[in-house]
Amino acid sequence: MNYLKQQDPKLWAAVVGELQRQLDRLAMIASENYTSGAVMQACGTLLTNKYAEGYPGKRYYGGCEFVDVAEDLAIQRAKELFGAEHANVQPHSGAQANMAVYLAALKPGDPVLGMSLTHGGHLTHGMHLNLSGILYDFHNYGVRCEDQRIDFDEVASLARKHKPKLIVAGASAYPREIPHGRFAEIAEEVGAKLLVDMAHYGGLVAAGVHDDPLPVADYVTATTHKTLRGPRGGIILCKAKYRKDVDRAVFPGTQGGPLMHVIAGKAVCFREALEPDYKKYAQQVIDNAKVLADVFLSGGLRLITGGTDNHLILADATSIGLTGMSATAALESCGVTINKNVIPFDTRKPVDPSGIRFGTPALTTRGMGCDEMRSIGTWIIEALKSPDDEALLQRIRGQVSELCGQFPIPVNGVDIVPIQGALQ
Ligand SMILES: *Cc1c(COP(=O)(O)O)cnc(C)c1O
């Protein structure tokens, strides 16, 4: 990064600080991952210079013959990876992908059914401050109180009552496999279309280790940067009959020029996800989460739904005498980065909720397996049980650093390993 260092030392220092943070702490935020060096290189290319409004072969600007190759590769690989009839790889983010599907499938004011944000849904599933909640008449389903699993009786009764034009399945903080077929049955009964937002678990679907929504959903959206391990961005997959409406809803409906360097990164990401190694990776993500969940349960931490089937764990920090905020702070001081999260039927406010969310995608990319999960889980329980014991937190901080030193992160094509003692 010599140009950046010379021309903009302040910004360069921030990037180096972030490099050190990523190297020397355990990234356990469920929505984060490390992209490969090849993905980062693609995103850092001069493709960022090109305007390419439109689609391959049908652009509104000249000189698109090379970016057309990049976008065609991304489209073909996405279709192959997911077995989709059509893929739009232009959405700038998962939120943009969802807004485009809403534009394609709905008119303002139409009734829609989505998962409640407080039960694990996403902002773009009708939260009142989000454009989705402002433009459309969203109604929310949630999970059952007894087992915190999706309440399909409620989904069905709300669907019969509100006659939604669209049902949205998918979540950001739901630790179980989502049975998409059950949503599809209800959608069919009431004449609704089905959008599956697999932003979090798209990588698990790609690897064949999670129920596949493609056969039953009208539209599927995903982010490319979570379990899929690509650059930040979104995609939309759909049947051929929705192709025109979806493409028009992305451009010109909700976006202008596509980010061609990011689309190039998506093409690399999909190619990587087609490799046999990626299937092993995705299975290890789940195995790691299960081991971690077992350690947490033996440590006395209450887990929402009692465990996990996927890449994430949602825990009730109050079961161990803390809040989401105090637990997050205690773990950060040990070099373990997570996020606070509301839990279903939370009695606390979102600024300091009861829950904490953990994920294994990033640690698994570093090469950590079940043994490492056992150590990390034990440290986490120790820290949560004695959050005021500075000596203990310092000891764990050292152990985290030492572990990080054994597992590199990929940066611009080079696997970088932290130098012991050089990073604080
Ligand atoms: C992360 C997420 C999104 C949004 O992705 P962004 O790229 O942050 O806009 C949408 N839906 C769900 C369920 C998510 O978890």
Side-chain angles (χ1 to χ4, degrees), residues 1-9 12:
M1 292 195 298
N2 51 339
Y3 289 119
L4 197 55
K5 187 178 182 180
Q6 274 166 25
Q7 291 182 22
D8 198 337
W12 177 81

Side-chain angles (χ1 to χ4, degrees), residues 233-303:
I235 46 166
I236 303 172
L237 307 162
C238 64
K239 304 238 160 66
K241 64 177 171 182
Y242 299 122
R243 174 189 186 133
K244 240 184 156 168
D245 290 344
V246 162
D247 283 355
R248 197 184 288 153
V250 174
F251 171 83
T254 47
Q255 294 185 175
L259 310 175
M260 294 318 304
H261 55 308
V262 179
I263 288 172
K266 289 174 184 174
V268 176
C269 151
F270 300 145
R271 202 195 69 89
E272 289 175 356
L274 282 160
E275 298 285 330
D277 267 1
Y278 184 80
K279 286 194 174 49
K280 281 190 223 152
Y281 162 72
Q283 185 58 53
Q284 190 64 50
V285 165
I286 295 176
D287 294 347
N288 281 351
K290 285 184 188 292
V291 169
L292 203 55
D294 284 344
V295 179
F296 287 168
L297 286 170
S298 338
L301 195 54
R302 182 176 86 91
L303 303 186

